């Protein structure tokens, strides 16, 4: 028979919130309760009958609490197969009761790692007994119900109240799956802590939360975001965030985080189609939009300062999918909310991850994130003419944008405004020509502009084309065997060029 009625329970938890209702429900059903340590005291304080695990094992808690439940009497009570006569005979022989319900959570290892630097304290938060009890109960789900976290208490409480403590095989298997999800996440966190120093070449990642999406990159593809975007931003208004929205949000935030002055960026298909920095938010928005108002349609807007009413009134004039900023005035929200589907995100925190990964072929490709942002100190002038202060400022600005653009990428900028970019091209010359053509199409005068390239120029043709378009300063990594040809052309024509020694490919 697949249905099982709970007659006895073992409870040992770190977090007690919500436990009182469970304990009282168990008591009302006449279920025997076994417990340990602080949980035992908690249940006693509720004036609910409870027996200590020591009564079952005949051993006290030892080694400062490191060993409490690791005993054959406990694990035999959980792992015994109720349909195997030999197992039942052994329980009888050694006077071991059956335990039908195990409620156990784990020491807060991840929280301790975040808040504590002392390794001895961190190590003490590696749970041994709890993880073993969870695995044992989950393994024997045919006969035992395991509850491995307080977020599962409502499901258990419904079972106790509505079904009088009776569970089906499918329900127990579901709880077992939840338990193994928790235990595997816990083990991954421990491994990652140790591997920060050890450098073992094994990929382990575990994300517990999930965010349902309408679909993946296209409507015929299923999509799920594993993680908790609510830790990074609050959605104040609008429709559900899509797969493609999340990609653009990630690109927008990665780019905006490289700027400290007032900046607005507009992202479309993971590339910047508008960007500007300055002092006045409304003017910065106007300059960002001017770069490519056609591509900005339906884009993602990110700012690094609070959106006020004046800026919101201007931003509201175009159709866009998402706006994200660290703050919005009440007046700005009133203006922006009038479009029902428009997504408004209030940013709360930055992403702390220093690495990225993606599935590839039959494995995973892992790398450190490109967190380098070059400053004037990183520039080595290689031409006869040195760049002027305004050109240096523009090159720093342009280099930040090219770093976040799909390769091959060229960025043209002037006065801390993106004039145009050529991104995702198969040749650097094509990327440059695309950027020049777009800049001219939107009325930009490129005379006195700067050019940033994500990688070196294999031939001098690009610097020659850029110079003839009006570019007066160039920033690039350098590193080509024919660098000198580009340097010579620039020197002969009064163009300043700097090498950074840092390539910024992005694929």
């Amino acid at each position: 028979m697949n249905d099982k009625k709970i007659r006895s329970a073992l409870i040992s938890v770190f977090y007690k919130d919500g436990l009182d209702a469970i304990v009282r429900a168990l008591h009302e059903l006449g279920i025997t309760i076994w417990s340990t340590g602080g949980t035992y005291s908690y249940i006693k304080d509720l004036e609910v009958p409870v027996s200590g695990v020591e009564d079952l094992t005949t051993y006290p808690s030892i080694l400062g609490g490191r060993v409490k439940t690791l005993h054959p009497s406990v694990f035999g009570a959980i792992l015994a197969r109720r349909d195997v006569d030999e197992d039942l005979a052994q329980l009888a022989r050694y006077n071991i009761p059956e335990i039908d319900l195990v409620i156990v959570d784990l020491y807060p290892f991840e929280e301790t790692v975040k808040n504590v630097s002392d390794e001895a304290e961190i190590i003490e938060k590696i749970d041994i007994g709890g993880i073993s009890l969870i695995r044992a109960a989950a393994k024997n789900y045919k006969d035992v119900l395991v509850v491995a976290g307080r977020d599962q208490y409502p499901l258990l409480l419904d079972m106790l109240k509505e079904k009088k403590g009776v569970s089906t095989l499918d329900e127990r298997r579901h709880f077992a799956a939840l338990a193994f999800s928790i235990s595997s996440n816990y083990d991954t966190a421990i491994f990652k802590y140790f591997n920060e120093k050890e450098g073992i070449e094994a990929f382990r990642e575990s994300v517990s939360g999930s965010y349902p999406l309408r679909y993946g990159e296209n409507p015929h593809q299923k999509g799920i975001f594993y993680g908790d975007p609510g830790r990074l931003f609050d959605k104040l208004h609008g429709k559900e965030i899509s797969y493609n929205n999340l990609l653009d949000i990630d690109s927008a935030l990665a780019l905006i985080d490289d700027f400290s002055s007032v900046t607005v960026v507009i992202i479309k298909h993971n590339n910047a189609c508008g960007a500007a920095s300055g002092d006045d938010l409304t003017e910065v928005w106007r300059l960002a939009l001017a770069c490519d108002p056609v591509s900005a349609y339906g884009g993602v807007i990110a700012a690094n300062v609070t959106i006020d009413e004046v800026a919101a009134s201007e931003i509201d004039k175009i159709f866009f999918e998402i706006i994200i900023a660290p703050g919005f005035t009440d007046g700005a929200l009133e203006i922006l909310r009038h479009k029902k589907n428009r997504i408004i995100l209030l940013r709360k925190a930055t992403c702390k991850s220093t690495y990225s990964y993606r599935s590839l072929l039959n494995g995973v490709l892992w790398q450190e994130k490109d967190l380098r942002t070059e400053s004037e100190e990183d520039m080595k002038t290689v031409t006869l003419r040195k760049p002027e202060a305004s050109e240096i400022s523009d090159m720093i600005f342009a280099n930040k944008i090219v770093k976040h653009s799909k390769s091959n990428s060229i960025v043209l900028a002037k006065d801390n405004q993106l004039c145009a970019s050529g991104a995702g091209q198969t040749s650097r010359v094509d990327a440059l020509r695309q950027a020049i053509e777009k800049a001219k199409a939107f009325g930009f005068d490129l005379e006195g502009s700067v050019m940033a390239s994500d990688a070196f120029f294999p031939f001098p043709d690009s610097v020659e084309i850029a110079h003839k378009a009006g570019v007066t300063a160039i920033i690039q990594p350098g590193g080509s065997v024919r660098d000198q040809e580009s340097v010579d052309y620039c020197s002969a024509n009064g163009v300043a060029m700097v090498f950074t020694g840092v390539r910024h490919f992005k694929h």
Side-chain angles (χ1 to χ4, degrees), residues 265-388:
V265 300
I266 308 170
I267 298 293
K268 194 71 171 290
H269 294 295
N270 310 138
N271 290 306
C273 61
S277 295
D279 298 319
D280 178 73
L281 175 61
T282 303
E283 178 62 12
V284 167
W285 160 252
R286 186 188 67 78
L287 294 172
L289 179 62
C291 172
D292 186 350
V294 175
S295 294
Y297 183 88
V300 171
I301 301 166
N304 58 359
V305 294
T306 296
I307 304 295
D308 58 26
E309 294 95 322
V310 178
S313 295
E314 292 300 311
I315 295 169
D316 186 56
K317 292 177 181 179
I318 75 161
F319 168 74
F320 60 90
E321 287 266 339
I322 299 171
I323 184 167
I324 180 167
F328 297 87
T329 65
D330 292 341
L333 282 177
E334 185 177 350
I335 293 167
L336 296 172
R337 276 176 169 156
H338 79 92
K339 292 288 181 67
K340 181 178 66 174
N341 290 328
R342 178 181 287 166
I343 298 170
I344 303 174
L345 301 177
L346 176 66
R347 193 172 188 193
K348 299 191 295 186
T350 57
C351 182
K352 302 297 184 182
S353 175
T354 58
Y355 60 88
S356 63
Y357 55 90
R358 64 169 77 173
S359 59
L360 191 73
L361 300 175
N362 62 342
V364 174
L365 201 58
W366 180 98
Q367 69 170 349
E368 294 177 338
K369 285 186 175 179
D370 183 0
L371 300 177
R372 285 286 297 269
T373 303
E374 288 72 55
S375 64
E376 184 176 355
E377 289 71 29
D378 300 304
M379 298 179 184
K380 177 185 177 183
T381 301
V382 293
T383 51
L384 294 178
R385 185 175 78 80
K386 294 183 178 180
E388 298 176 2

Side-chain angles (χ1 to χ4, degrees), residues 61-115:
S61 172
I62 62 172
L63 307 181
R66 280 189 162 198
V67 180
K68 296 190 288 283
T69 59
L70 295 170
H71 192 279
S73 292
V74 176
F75 282 86
I78 296 169
L79 284 166
R81 294 159 290 187
R82 278 44 163 186
D83 58 352
V84 176
D85 292 341
E86 186 176 348
D87 284 10
L88 297 179
Q90 289 182 2
L91 292 184
R93 185 183 314 149
Y94 299 110
N95 196 29
I96 299 173
E98 296 176 8
I99 292 178
D100 311 306
L101 170 65
V102 174
I103 303 175
V104 176
D105 61 12
L106 300 171
Y107 291 157
F109 178 81
E110 290 179 273
E111 290 83 352
T112 304
V113 170
K114 289 177 184 177
N115 299 314

